[in-house]
Amino acid sequence: MLRIESLVKKYPTGDIALQGVNLEVPDGQVMALIGPSGAGKSTLIRCINRLVEPTSGHIWLNKQDLAQLKAAQLRRARRKIGMIFQEYALVERLTVMENVLSGQLGYVNFWQSWFRRFPQHTIDEAFRLLERVGLGSFPDKRADALSGGQRQRVGIARALLQNPDLLLVDEPTASLDPKTSRQIMRLICELAQERQLSVIVNIHDVLLAQMFAQRIVGLQSGEIVYDGSPDSLTSDVLTNIYGEEDWAVTSEDDQEPEPTKSPAYEAMVQEVQR
């Protein structure tokens, strides 16, 4: 379980990105983090694994306060925190398998990582994960030859090879088409249940969040202004999170209308039908 207590992040400029955030994410739960740009979503995720240093507060992962760890302790703790990035963060010239195996770099010594010599059980698990994410036939393909959805699947497999207790996911669908976005979100949710992972997904697509997440947390100016079920995310709640907008408009309503047919076109059709 992840538990955050009174988390504050204040930048040297005086800007406050997080204002006393309190949050719990139990094992096996997929929580979507929504809010406008600048609300503190990415800062919150990066404070958890301390890619951004929190100003104050506590971040408990199981029984360990991540916010208080020194460098060596933090390196060990990060083994249990998987991270999936918006821009994939793959090494383009390496193969799919080499990128996945990089998820184990925190567990091997320098020379093993330098020569990419991993234990056989690690390699076997990497193959199993590639099968699970739908890339079983791609281990030797270079990362720069993959589509966006395939790259994201490599990132998921790499994160899971760490055998994490917590998965942090930063805008996993921002560069993907609608169908692939649904597939990636569905895969993340299925893996979270299979492995009983706590998952936080920073996502801008509210409809995707409602479709797949078990819980939604809305941030506004570094504060939690909503914490509840997807079904309770009403127009009033969305207005409180994002501001005034016609939230009753659905995705279908946003589609382009059919072009208006001219009188000449209608007359031609009538003539043909006579």
Side-chain angles (χ1 to χ4, degrees):
M1 173 184 281
L2 175 72
R3 187 172 79 255
I4 297 172
E5 298 176 351
S6 304
L7 186 63
V8 173
K9 175 58 185 177
K10 184 176 182 179
Y11 288 102
T13 58
D15 295 325
I16 301 177
L18 297 173
Q19 304 189 54
V21 170
N22 294 286
L23 194 63
E24 285 190 6
V25 186
D27 297 340
Q29 184 179 83
V30 177
M31 188 207 82
L33 194 62
I34 67 171
S37 298
K41 304 187 301 298
S42 292
T43 300
L44 176 57
I45 282 183
R46 283 166 168 74
C47 278
I48 292 171
N49 61 10
R50 285 183 54 191
L51 292 176
V52 169
E53 286 294 328
T55 302
S56 62
H58 302 276
I59 306 165
W60 296 93
L61 181 58
N62 300 324
K63 296 182 179 180
Q64 195 169 38
D65 187 356
L66 303 176
Q68 306 302 317
L69 299 182
K70 303 300 182 184
Q73 296 172 312
L74 180 59
R75 282 194 297 272
R76 289 192 292 271
R78 279 176 173 161
R79 296 172 180 174
K80 291 297 182 180
I81 305 173
M83 183 83 180
I84 299 172
F85 299 89
Q86 175 181 344
E87 297 300 330
Y88 319 122
L90 304 182
V91 181
E92 299 288 311
R93 62 183 177 80
L94 296 185
T95 66
V96 166
M97 176 58 76
E98 288 171 324
N99 272 285
V100 172
L101 287 171
S102 69
Q104 278 283 299
L105 292 179
Y107 292 90
V108 297
N109 63 43
F110 172 80
W111 291 111
Q112 284 178 299
S113 64
W114 179 263
F115 291 107
R116 302 189 186 93
R117 292 177 179 172
F118 295 90
Q120 188 59 48
H121 67 85
T122 298
I123 296 172
D124 293 341
E125 178 62 13
F127 275 112
R128 283 192 290 271
L129 283 169
L130 284 176
E131 287 286 349
R132 179 63 186 84
V133 300
L135 296 177
S137 60
F138 287 74
D140 298 322
K141 195 164 187 176
R142 277 178 52 133
D144 56 9
L146 301 176
S147 68
Q150 290 167 342
R151 293 183 185 200
Q152 197 59 282
R153 290 170 186 269
V154 174
I156 292 170
R158 177 184 58 193
L160 292 178
L161 193 64
Q162 295 178 225
N163 192 28
D165 294 328
L166 171 66
L167 199 57
L168 303 175
V169 189
D170 192 15
E171 284 292 344
T173 63
S175 304
L176 305 179
D177 63 78
K179 179 179 178 180
T180 305
S181 296
R182 291 189 180 199
Q183 291 172 340
I184 292 299
M185 285 297 295
R186 185 177 297 112
L187 179 61
I188 290 171
C189 292
E190 289 173 355
L191 290 167
Q193 290 298 310
E194 290 171 13
R195 293 171 172 254
Q196 283 299 289
L197 289 173
S198 302
V199 181
I200 299 179
V201 184
N202 171 18
I203 188 167
H204 275 298
D205 192 323
V206 174
L207 290 175
L208 270 183
Q210 289 179 293
M211 188 179 300
F212 290 102
Q214 298 161 295
R215 172 184 171 199
I216 294 180
V217 168
L219 278 184
Q220 172 61 259
S221 301
E223 295 182 288
I224 293 177
V225 295
Y226 176 78
D227 186 350
S229 71
D231 294 339
S232 300
L233 201 63
T234 63
S235 296
D236 288 341
V237 172
L238 288 170
T239 296
N240 191 35
I241 296 172
Y242 291 100
E244 289 291 340
E245 181 54 77
D246 183 5
W247 300 109
V249 176
T250 64
S251 57
E252 287 79 14
D253 295 329
D254 287 334
Q255 295 175 0
E256 289 187 15
E258 292 187 8
T260 303
K261 298 177 177 60
S262 67
Y265 176 88
E266 297 289 359
M268 180 185 69
V269 171
Q270 292 174 10
E271 182 65 30
V272 169
Q273 290 174 343
R274 285 180 185 150

